[in-house]
């Protein structure tokens, strides 16, 4: 690197003496352990005529320097791309690939404009913005950030810290293992105040806990993202996501931004592929549902799986073989329920319309506005929060993501359910989903959670998408997809307010005989760290207060779910 730090990589190359493009993947998870075989196999890519570089980022495993997540990847990304372009046998251009943090390294390299970078395939990619508000859905704290640092990053950091002292390393790893087990079980999420997690023996979560205490308008990174982020990207882009991935909004927003760039500049149109996948699994099943073999990332409707998708894209963008994409639509979305892929020219897809379903008294959900009626009420006790059951999560394996039967959750007294009549014909939701909620609380601050559910004829009720709004952050998140960082605005107890709950997006056909359901509650712990119902941020709160919540559905306060219908 430009400061003299050495980063190390494994290089896979074809066995002959030909000249080939380079595919670079930069990641913090150990270059010697391939976590992406179904997604993009470096050996398979090399066998198809590419030099493939798997690099440990700064401060991880074989590479030198100190690991400073995300911030370090701008200059290091630029320097690594240009280094890759100097490898023996290089010809044509550099492409980058990988998912999750591998995607962060791609975007950070791309915005610095390395001349050799011509193409990227970015998978399950999160937002790339500059304030805490844009990393905290609805203002809530994601439990995933704690688990990522503790479970995936912590072990190697300890190895480096105690290198040369086996006894100290053994003690540190024992403490780290014990703390990691308590985190995976969910026990540590109940610590008060949450800031104590930074000081527990074996904790590697200090930096994350500190960041969680930042106000919503605080800088997320030391270096702000430029306002013209996407205009700076000169590489062709292919975006891969999952409907049950924690970073679905990032994937969709990045695609839409790059499509706008392509329209303004006449460059290659970006591609988008979204399956019924979670953050780390591309199988044909997720949670308790099987979507069929065509959904699998190893098959993809008989097109060679995700490895085949990478090859076709890079063959076109790096080797100039445009025929490789001749039969590939720019947008391909897996529609759950009917369990098949659909192809479109763009996203949001043409022909969609918005449709509202209103909350009614008696637990009904109907396209007609609700009559004048009294609100529904429930008690939220943070000592017994609603547990997370599936969803678009990135927690420990003990709390898996995906669709799960929610009936046990819905039987709780602190969950309200509103259900439609059985559908008479297929009803396809394809795109954004949000909820306008009119609600009041006895607390100075609290959370509201909304969840779209597909109710099967046999009564099983599978979560589709969900979202959260922190009551005091309602002005920061005034409408879906809009973030305007504001100072927290406490509630006046028992006064009704209007809240916007962004449930992100999905693609699902509710089949005949199925019913549409909306669940409303105040927690999904530990996906979102439970709110204590006090005016103190949950990171610092030491007191747990019981809150009485009221949900309104009348002509003046029409709570409703907004669906994008095809």
């Amino acid at each position: 690197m430009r400061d003299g730090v050495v980063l190390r990589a494994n290089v896979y190359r074809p066995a002959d003496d030909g000249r080939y493009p380079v595919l670079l993947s930069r990641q913090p998870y150990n270059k010697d352990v391939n976590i992406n075989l179904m997604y993009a196999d470096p050996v398979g890519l090399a066998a198809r005529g590419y030099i493939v570089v798997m690099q440990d980022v700064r401060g991880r495993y074989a590479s030198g320097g100190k690991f400073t997540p995300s911030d370090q990847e701008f200059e290091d990304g630029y320097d690594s791309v240009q280094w890759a372009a100097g490898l023996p046998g290089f010809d044509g251009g550099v492409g980058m690939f990988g998912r999750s943090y591998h995607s962060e390294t791609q975007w950070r390299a791309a915005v610095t404009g390395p001349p050799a970078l011509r193409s990227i395939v970015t998978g399950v990619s999160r937002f790339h913005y500059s304030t805490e508000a844009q990393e905290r859905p609805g203002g809530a704290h994601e439990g995933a950030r704690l688990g990522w640092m503790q479970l995936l990053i912590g072990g190697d950091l300890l190895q480096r810290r105690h290198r040369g002292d086996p006894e100290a390393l053994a003690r540190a790893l024992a403490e780290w293992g014990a703390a990691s087990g308590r985190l995976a079980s969910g026990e540590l999420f109940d610590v008060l105040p949450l800031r104590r997690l930074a000081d527990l023996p074996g904790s590697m979560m200090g930096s994350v806990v500190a960041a969680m205490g930042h106000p919503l308008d605080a800088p997320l990174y030391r270096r702000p993202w430029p306002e013209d982020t996407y205009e700076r990207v000169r590489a062709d882009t292919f975006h891969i996501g999952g409907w049950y991935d924690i970073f679905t909004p990032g994937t969709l927003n990045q695609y839409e931004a790059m499509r706008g760039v392509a329209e303004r500049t006449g460059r290659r149109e970006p591609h988008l592929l979204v399956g019924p996948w979670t953050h780390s699994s591309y199988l044909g099943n997720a949670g308790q549902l099987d979507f069929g073999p065509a959904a699998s990332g190893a098959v993809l409707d008989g097109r060679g799986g995700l490895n085949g998708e990478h090859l076709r894209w890079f063959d076109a963008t790096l080797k100039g073989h445009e025929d490789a994409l001749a039969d590939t639509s720019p947008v391909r979305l897996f529609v759950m329920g009917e369990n098949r892929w659909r192809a479109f020219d763009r996203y949001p897809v043409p022909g969609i319309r918005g449709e509202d379903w209103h909350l009614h008294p008696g637990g009904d959900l109907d396209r007609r506005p609700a009559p004048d009626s009294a609100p529904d009420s429930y008690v939220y006790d943070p000592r017994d929060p609603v547990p997370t059951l599936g969803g678009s999560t990135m927690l420990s394996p003990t709390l898996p993501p995906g669709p799960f039967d929610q009936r046990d959750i819905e039987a709780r007294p602190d969950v309200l359910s509103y259900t439609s009549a059985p559908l008479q014909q297929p009803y396809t939701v394809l795109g954004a989903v949000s909820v306008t909620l009119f609600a009041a609380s006895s607390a100075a601050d609290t959370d509201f959670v909304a969840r779209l559910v597909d109710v099967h004829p046999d009564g099983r009720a599978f979560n589709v998408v969900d979202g959260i709004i922190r009551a005091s952050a309602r002005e920061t998140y005034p409408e879906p997809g809009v973030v305007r960082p504001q100072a927290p605005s406490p509630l006046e107890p028992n006064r009704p307010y209007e809240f916007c709950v962004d449930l992100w997006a999905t693609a699902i056909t509710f089949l005949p005989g199925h019913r549409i359901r909306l669940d409303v509650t105040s927690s999904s712990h530990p996906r979102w760290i439970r709110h204590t119902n006090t005016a103190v941020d949950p990171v610092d709160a030491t007191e747990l207060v019981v809150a009485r919540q009221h949900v309104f559905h009348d002509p003046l306060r029409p709570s409703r779910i907004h669906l994008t219908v095809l």
Side-chain angles (χ1 to χ4, degrees), residues 150-151 176-188:
Q150 179 72 18
L151 303 174
W176 171 72
S180 298
R182 294 175 64 196
L183 183 71
S185 72
E187 175 188 347
L188 287 190

Side-chain angles (χ1 to χ4, degrees), residues 101-393:
Y101 194 95
H102 308 63
S103 289
E104 289 197 44
T105 62
Q106 293 181 63
W107 285 111
R108 281 161 174 74
V111 299
T112 64
L117 184 60
R118 298 186 185 177
S119 182
I120 64 176
V121 180
T122 169
V124 290
S125 180
R126 72 174 186 165
F127 285 120
H128 299 285
Y129 298 116
S130 300
T131 66
E132 271 290 328
Q134 288 161 314
E135 285 285 300
R136 286 168 55 181
H141 296 298
E142 286 270 11
R145 297 177 69 182
L146 294 166
W148 179 77
M149 181 60 73
Q150 179 72 18
L151 303 174
L152 295 180
I153 302 299
D156 179 61
L157 294 182
L158 289 175
Q159 296 270 4
R160 301 169 77 91
R161 182 181 301 170
H162 298 289
R163 185 175 293 160
D165 189 343
E167 292 184 1
L169 175 61
R171 290 193 297 272
L173 288 177
E175 291 180 340
W176 171 72
S180 298
R182 294 175 64 196
L183 183 71
S185 72
E187 175 188 347
L188 287 190
F189 289 107
D190 294 334
V191 167
L192 288 176
L194 199 66
R195 196 174 293 280
R196 283 179 50 211
L197 291 181
D199 302 320
L200 292 176
S203 171
M204 305 300 292
M205 297 174 281
S207 61
V208 175
V209 172
M212 292 172 77
H214 293 170
L216 287 175
D217 57 354
L220 181 62
Y221 305 111
R222 286 197 296 268
R223 173 192 300 216
W225 280 88
E227 292 185 3
D228 61 343
T229 287
Y230 297 106
E231 303 290 342
R232 296 187 179 204
V233 176
R234 296 292 179 259
D236 296 324
T237 62
F238 179 10
H239 310 257
I240 299 175
W243 295 126
Y244 286 98
D245 172 45
I246 190 174
F247 298 139
T248 300
T251 299
L252 297 178
N253 288 351
Q254 290 156 10
Y255 160 79
E256 291 185 62
M258 292 307 299
R259 183 170 59 80
V261 170
E263 290 177 348
R264 291 189 294 272
T265 62
R267 290 170 42 198
R268 182 188 296 273
E269 188 175 11
H271 279 211
L272 174 68
L273 178 74
V274 186
W277 303 318
T278 67
H279 187 70
S280 57
S281 174
Y282 303 89
L283 299 172
N285 62 284
Q288 293 175 328
L289 289 180
D290 189 330
F291 299 104
S296 171
V299 179
L300 273 183
D301 252 356
R303 291 172 53 85
L306 288 167
N307 277 281
E309 298 292 340
H310 282 78
L311 282 166
R312 280 187 290 275
W313 178 258
F314 288 130
D315 283 351
T317 58
L318 296 179
K319 293 183 176 181
H321 300 166
E322 294 295 341
D323 58 330
L325 295 177
D327 63 345
T328 301
S329 297
V331 172
R332 287 163 293 154
L333 308 175
F334 190 88
V335 181
M336 300 176 289
E338 62 188 64
N339 290 348
R340 68 183 178 99
W341 291 96
R342 289 200 188 191
F344 303 95
D345 292 331
R346 59 190 295 170
Y347 179 91
V349 305
I352 57 173
R353 71 179 190 276
E355 192 161 88
D356 288 350
W357 290 71
H358 294 261
L359 281 62
H360 278 240
D364 290 335
L365 189 68
D366 199 289
R367 279 175 275 206
R368 298 170 299 174
D372 195 23
S373 54
D376 294 319
S377 301
Y378 64 93
V379 172
Y380 163 48
D381 185 349
R383 297 174 184 83
D384 182 25
V386 176
T388 298
L389 180 59
S392 301
T393 63

Side-chain angles (χ1 to χ4, degrees), residues 39 146-147 243 280 329 338 347 366 371 375 445 451 464-465 469 543 553:
Y39 182 80
L146 294 166
W243 295 126
S280 57
S329 297
E338 62 188 64
Y347 179 91
D366 199 289
D445 196 9
R451 179 174 298 112
V464 181
V465 284
I469 185 68
E543 182 184 9
H553 37 64

Side-chain angles (χ1 to χ4, degrees), residues 4-142:
V5 171
V6 174
L7 308 188
R8 301 191 182 276
N10 294 342
V11 181
Y12 303 80
R13 61 173 66 246
D16 60 28
D17 295 325
R19 302 184 66 82
Y20 302 98
V22 169
L23 303 181
L24 169 66
S25 187
R26 309 187 60 248
Q27 45 90 22
Y29 305 122
N30 191 346
K31 63 182 176 57
D32 298 331
V33 179
N34 186 1
I35 65 171
N36 289 316
L37 281 175
M38 181 184 292
Y39 182 80
D41 174 22
V43 176
L45 293 170
R48 293 290 295 272
Y50 291 91
I51 300 169
V52 184
V53 179
M54 304 295 290
Q55 184 191 63
D56 287 336
V57 299
R58 179 182 295 249
R60 297 295 291 166
Y61 293 94
S63 290
K66 179 183 177 182
F67 182 57
T68 306
S70 302
D71 280 325
Q72 68 186 32
E73 310 303 353
F74 292 95
E75 283 87 358
D76 283 1
Y78 182 102
D79 293 349
S80 296
V81 168
Q82 294 306 107
W83 169 83
L87 286 171
F90 168 74
D91 181 50
V94 175
M96 296 185 74
F97 70 96
R99 59 182 178 85
S100 195
Y101 194 95
H102 308 63
S103 289
E104 289 197 44
T105 62
Q106 293 181 63
W107 285 111
R108 281 161 174 74
V111 299
T112 64
L117 184 60
R118 298 186 185 177
S119 182
I120 64 176
V121 180
T122 169
V124 290
S125 180
R126 72 174 186 165
F127 285 120
H128 299 285
Y129 298 116
S130 300
T131 66
E132 271 290 328
Q134 288 161 314
E135 285 285 300
R136 286 168 55 181
H141 296 298
E142 286 270 11

Side-chain angles (χ1 to χ4, degrees), residues 137-138 140 142 392 433-435 437 447-452 464-470 500-504 518-524 527-528:
E142 286 270 11
S392 301
V433 180
S434 64
V435 168
L437 188 70
D447 289 339
F448 290 101
V449 172
R451 179 174 298 112
L452 175 64
V464 181
V465 284
D466 55 8
I468 190 169
I469 185 68
R470 178 141 299 166
C500 170
V501 189
D502 190 350
L503 277 62
W504 303 351
L518 178 67
D519 291 338
V520 177
T521 184
S522 286
S523 52
S524 177
R527 179 191 177 177
W528 297 300

